[in-house]
Amino acid sequence: MTSETRTAATGPADAEVVDPDYPVTPVPAHARKSFFSVAVVLLGFTVFTPTMLAGAALGPAFSFSNLLLVIGLGSLVLGVYVAVMGWVGARTGLTTVVMARYTLGTRGAKLASVLLGGTQIGWYAVVVGTIGDLTAEALDWDSYGARAAVMVVTSVLMCATAYWGYHGMYWVSLVSTPLILILAFWVLGRSLQEVGGFSGLAGVEPTSSMALAVAVTTVVGTFVSAGTQAPNWTRFARRPSHAVWACVIGFLVGNGLMIFFGAVGALTFGEGDFVLVLYQLGLVGWGLVLLFGNLWKSNADTAYAFGVAGAELFNRPSKAPFVIGGSVIATGLALTGVQNHLVDYLVLLGTFIPPLGGVIIGDFLARWRRGIPGGYAPPAVRWPNLAAYAVAAGLAWLSGELGIGIPPVIGIVVAIVLSMGLARLSPDTATRVPAQR
């Protein structure tokens, strides 16, 4: 780990860290975790059953060989991007929103906190609402009160896990992820029986069409926004290489598997979500186990993300009040049925989040590769990087509107190139100060 100054990352209110998760300060060496621990948390984050719906959209549009190509290419793009973000997080020991202070300035970073934190509150609401709806469907409940009670109880469990912090997410992931994968592979086996194994699956003809760029965008888009916040967890890695491989396991392997499962489910049962496949098979109890175990751990990570974003936004040394407050707001949104209206909006925001990661990567490579100098205080606003972000986000949105290229990739690449180029044109005095080690 390179040495960073605490005074650059924090304000006077943060002189004493009161949160063992260090939401606004670098994670010290004694608090770093093993490779296994970080990999478990990230794999638990990406083994997320709603991702199967993306696979369900892809499955009927491609032959089996082309489907594997699309999933592999999209997962590779996603995995490389998140691995670089994770590497930066391990090198600095900082969350994504605190790294944004160095990239966008102390005031400019508030944009990152609002964008990332707000989006995560929205997703938390969608997941809580989805749990209530699918539980009611499984148990044939018509009562709104019963559905609301499920939402409130599950939200409390998720909030408590995030409040507990890294340790809570680790233990929930350690217990639930293997069970979820066992269930998923079992359903995969049943799915293959329906079509005569992999040879039968290879013989299934496409029934719809989708452009390759759109398909790869679908794969990348499943977790590119959440992947931008991978440093929230990889900052605990003891070595940057550990962070890289943990991201590869989580975002390339784990996320890719969930997309593949969804595609196979759609081709064999006409349903991409294995929770609903288990319902179809009459295994309602196991379906609920898969539903609760999976969404509990993933939404706990979501609550943790908006907790650290709130800590940065208000420059407070503890994530706890923001985890609780965000969970309360999100649960209230879920109780109004927001999950039926908010998803498209949140996906749109996903276009504007990846360029933020691109700017952080480009700025780090251009200015901070040798470490952040002790005593360096970022300016209030770094206008060149804000401009790079705005241009990259605009081009990503435009590419989506015109159907040209892969919007998240365009946003990331343009942001990296512009931020690195602008850093060379307007060097910061900090780049000439040797890093403290």
Side-chain angles (χ1 to χ4, degrees):
M1 172 185 172
T2 55
S3 174
E4 303 86 9
T5 174
R6 287 180 179 240
T7 57
T10 66
D14 303 327
E16 182 180 351
V17 175
V18 298
D19 191 316
D21 281 275
Y22 307 93
V24 291
T25 57
V27 177
H30 70 81
R32 297 293 180 118
K33 311 297 181 183
S34 67
F35 165 72
F36 177 79
S37 174
V38 177
V40 165
V41 170
L42 287 181
L43 184 61
F45 189 30
T46 57
V47 175
F48 182 55
T49 51
T51 301
M52 293 179 177
L53 299 179
L58 298 176
F62 296 92
S63 66
F64 185 63
S65 58
N66 287 336
L67 175 66
L68 293 179
L69 176 64
V70 167
I71 294 175
L73 181 58
S75 297
L76 180 63
V77 171
L78 177 65
V80 169
Y81 165 65
V82 177
V84 176
M85 284 296 298
W87 174 75
V88 175
R91 288 267 295 169
T92 62
L94 299 172
T95 65
T96 301
V97 289
V98 175
M99 284 194 292
R101 293 181 177 181
Y102 295 98
T103 300
L104 304 178
T106 54
R107 292 185 183 274
K110 305 308 177 187
L111 169 66
S113 295
V114 170
L115 186 62
L116 295 176
T119 304
Q120 293 304 297
I121 288 176
W123 278 119
Y124 186 98
V126 168
V127 170
V128 168
T130 299
I131 287 179
D133 290 343
L134 290 181
T135 301
E137 178 182 338
L139 301 176
D140 293 324
W141 287 346
D142 295 325
S143 167
Y144 172 78
R147 184 175 306 190
V150 171
M151 293 182 194
V152 171
V153 170
T154 54
S155 180
V156 169
L157 290 173
M158 294 166 181
C159 176
T161 304
Y163 186 93
W164 191 12
Y166 183 97
H167 290 289
M169 292 178 292
Y170 169 72
W171 284 107
V172 171
S173 295
L174 186 65
V175 172
S176 64
T177 302
L179 177 60
I180 290 163
L181 288 175
I182 290 170
L183 278 171
F185 275 107
W186 182 84
V187 177
L188 174 64
R190 286 292 303 267
S191 299
L192 292 175
Q193 289 178 9
E194 295 289 319
V195 293
F198 282 106
S199 59
L201 196 62
V204 176
E205 295 294 329
T207 57
S208 62
S209 62
M210 182 182 295
L212 178 64
V214 174
V216 174
T217 299
T218 300
V219 176
V220 175
T222 54
F223 254 90
V224 70
S225 297
T228 302
Q229 301 187 73
N232 292 351
W233 300 279
T234 63
R235 63 199 175 100
F236 287 95
R238 289 173 183 163
R239 298 178 183 176
S241 61
H242 291 178
V244 170
W245 285 110
C247 288
V248 168
I249 290 171
F251 288 83
L252 196 157
V253 178
N255 192 64
L257 273 177
M258 300 309 286
I259 294 172
F260 175 72
F261 291 153
V264 172
L267 290 173
T268 54
F269 284 102
E271 178 58 66
D273 190 335
F274 276 9
V275 172
L276 298 180
V277 171
L278 286 167
Y279 288 178
Q280 288 184 22
L281 294 172
L283 302 173
V284 173
W286 284 113
L288 290 174
V289 168
L290 182 59
L291 174 69
F292 279 91
N294 179 259
L295 298 185
W296 177 4
K297 61 182 178 52
S298 295
N299 231 25
D301 291 342
T302 301
Y304 184 88
F306 61 66
V308 298
E312 192 289 323
L313 181 63
F314 294 97
N315 199 30
R316 305 306 304 169
S318 174
K319 70 184 184 304
F322 306 103
V323 169
I324 296 172
S327 298
V328 170
I329 293 171
T331 304
L333 291 173
L335 291 172
T336 67
V338 74
Q339 68 273 14
N340 300 316
H341 310 287
L342 194 61
V343 175
D344 290 340
Y345 173 66
L346 292 172
V347 170
L348 176 64
L349 284 181
T351 301
F352 298 100
I353 291 176
L356 174 62
V359 172
I360 289 174
I361 290 171
D363 187 61
F364 182 86
L365 294 176
R367 300 196 300 137
W368 308 117
R369 280 178 296 177
R370 295 183 179 180
I372 299 173
Y376 171 72
V381 179
R382 283 194 59 82
W383 293 108
N385 283 338
L386 274 175
Y389 167 75
V391 171
L395 289 176
W397 174 81
L398 186 63
S399 71
E401 291 294 303
L402 299 177
I404 300 173
I406 304 171
V409 176
I410 289 174
I412 292 166
V413 172
V414 171
I416 291 174
V417 171
L418 284 180
S419 58
M420 291 187 72
L422 291 172
R424 295 183 182 277
L425 292 175
S426 55
D428 192 287
T429 54
T431 60
R432 297 191 292 271
V433 180
Q436 296 179 355
R437 295 185 181 275

